[in-house]
Amino acid sequence: MSKPKIYIDGQVGTTGLEIYSRLSLRNDIEIIKIDPDKRKDIEQRKICMEQADLVFLCLPDQASIEAMELIDKNTKVIDASSAHRVSEGWIYGMSELNSRQREAIQNQNRVANPGCHATGFIMSVYPLVQTGIISKKDVISCFSLTGYSGGGKKMISQYESEKSKDLYSPRIYGLTQNHKHLPEMTKICGLEKEPLFHPVVADYYRGMATTISLDGINQETIYECLKNWYNNSPLIRVSKQNEGMIASNTYEKKDTLELIVCGNQQRVSVTALFDNLGKGACGAAIQNMNLMLGFDECEGLRC
């Protein structure tokens, strides 16, 4: 049997480069390579896409939309941008939501890879809404701490060259409450109102801690709900913690995600701890590829 052929459109970006590097270690797929000088040549890209069984789009949003015009409808696509995450005809690439979601990823040709901040938020909130522990009408407050690799090559360069004073401290952004991950956070969780969302970038390379806060609910209720929901998800761990500190780079270079439930009988926080380039991007994309091509879901993942 021939190996599935994979083309990564946008191999030189942060996400594309890591996907390429990781898939290069596998012997069960074939990566289609493009001449570096031709990577922006539309005709050459189209030829590569026509040869592929599956295409990763690791591009800015508008470039991903334009790239779709080059791809045959029967070719499988995983879009790592935010262009199609709430679009009709696309499946949201988070298999852990429920069995129907996993089956849809396995059987459809268009999968939108989740955003990094959205991954942490949805993993915490979706089960709580589905079980009625929190209402769809609630406005949920969330802050999400990420390493600077989440900002792509430009931000990486800023942090790894001669830094200005502000880069040594955590920086809050998305100040207009219009962050591009909000639509998927709202739609996938079935919320009626967008969350109050506060993303923060800090002076470390990779790792995320995405935290929601809930009032009037006890810790054990939240813990049991999440533990039961993700009981059969090999990449998700649920734990309780009421002492010490939580380090946002704990899962650096891992593809797993931990939901840590903290608090007491009246106030609770849930922190999703994971790697923004792992379960928050490249790891999730490879996981979706595995499902779409019939491989074991965890093949090539770092657990």
Side-chain angles (χ1 to χ4, degrees):
M1 182 180 293
S2 61
K3 299 176 182 179
K5 295 181 179 180
I6 310 297
Y7 178 64
I8 304 167
D9 198 24
Q11 294 180 12
V12 299
T14 306
T15 300
L17 188 62
E18 177 146 338
I19 291 175
Y20 178 84
S21 175
R22 294 180 59 176
L23 293 185
S24 295
L25 301 175
R26 292 177 58 162
N27 57 16
D28 53 358
I29 58 174
E30 178 184 340
I31 299 178
I32 298 171
K33 299 179 181 179
I34 190 170
D35 187 321
D37 295 333
K38 301 288 188 180
R39 61 185 180 85
K40 293 187 178 181
D41 185 293
I42 291 177
E43 289 305 315
Q44 287 299 313
R45 290 167 61 210
K46 186 174 182 180
I47 290 171
C48 291
M49 292 174 182
E50 288 173 346
Q51 297 173 352
D53 296 296
L54 184 145
V55 175
F56 286 98
L57 297 180
C58 302
L59 304 165
D61 289 2
Q62 186 57 41
S64 285
I65 293 170
E66 294 169 359
M68 286 304 301
E69 298 177 5
L70 308 176
I71 302 174
D72 185 89
K73 65 179 181 179
N74 294 317
T75 302
K76 298 179 186 297
V77 180
I78 297 174
D79 185 5
S81 80
S82 62
H84 298 106
R85 290 175 187 159
V86 295
S87 298
E88 292 295 325
W90 287 76
I91 301 301
Y92 195 71
M94 188 175 285
S95 65
E96 293 87 359
L97 294 181
N98 51 56
S99 59
R100 298 186 306 278
Q101 198 75 13
R102 178 175 276 102
E103 291 171 3
I105 295 169
Q106 291 171 324
N107 296 318
Q108 299 297 322
N109 286 344
R110 300 289 184 264
V111 172
N113 215 49
C116 53
H117 294 292
T119 293
F121 180 86
I122 293 168
M123 285 288 187
S124 297
V125 173
Y126 182 86
L128 303 179
V129 173
Q130 291 296 307
T131 55
I133 292 175
I134 59 178
S135 170
K136 296 179 179 181
K137 298 180 182 295
D138 289 346
V139 178
I140 301 170
S141 179
C142 173
F143 71 88
S144 185
L145 176 62
T146 181
Y148 60 78
S149 59
K153 282 191 167 183
K154 182 178 180 180
M155 184 173 286
I156 292 171
S157 176
Q158 291 174 336
Y159 274 91
E160 296 187 350
S161 58
E162 188 173 345
K163 296 197 289 284
S164 56
K165 181 180 178 181
D166 62 310
L167 295 182
Y168 286 95
S169 68
R171 296 186 299 159
I172 301 168
Y173 64 104
L175 304 182
T176 62
Q177 288 294 319
N178 285 315
H179 192 279
K180 66 179 183 179
H181 291 181
L182 283 169
E184 64 191 280
M185 293 159 73
T186 306
K187 180 179 179 178
I188 301 303
C189 290
L191 298 172
E192 294 183 5
K193 297 181 181 179
E194 290 185 340
L196 295 172
F197 181 53
H198 311 280
V200 185
V201 62
D203 188 14
Y204 66 102
Y205 189 72
R206 58 197 296 168
M208 294 195 78
T210 303
T211 301
I212 63 167
S213 301
L214 303 170
D215 182 49
I217 308 172
N218 69 68
Q219 182 184 22
E220 194 65 25
T221 297
I222 301 298
Y223 171 74
E224 289 298 329
C225 172
L226 296 175
K227 187 172 180 62
N228 290 334
W229 194 273
Y230 294 115
N231 186 49
N232 295 317
S233 297
L235 299 175
I236 311 301
R237 176 190 175 199
V238 180
S239 65
K240 291 185 286 187
Q241 181 176 331
N242 286 337
E243 297 180 355
M245 298 185 182
I246 297 172
S248 56
N249 64 351
T250 299
Y251 284 88
E252 179 183 10
K253 296 185 178 180
K254 297 288 187 181
D255 296 314
T256 45
L257 180 148
E258 182 177 7
L259 294 171
I260 305 175
V261 184
C262 309
N264 53 45
Q265 296 302 307
Q266 296 177 325
R267 296 185 302 278
V268 179
S269 68
V270 182
T271 295
L273 204 59
F274 59 108
D275 185 349
N276 57 289
L277 293 179
K279 185 58 175 163
C282 309
I286 294 170
Q287 180 183 0
N288 285 322
M289 181 201 77
N290 287 337
L291 289 169
M292 295 173 77
L293 295 178
F295 296 120
D296 181 89
E297 184 173 358
C298 295
E299 184 68 35
L301 298 184
R302 301 176 295 201
C303 300

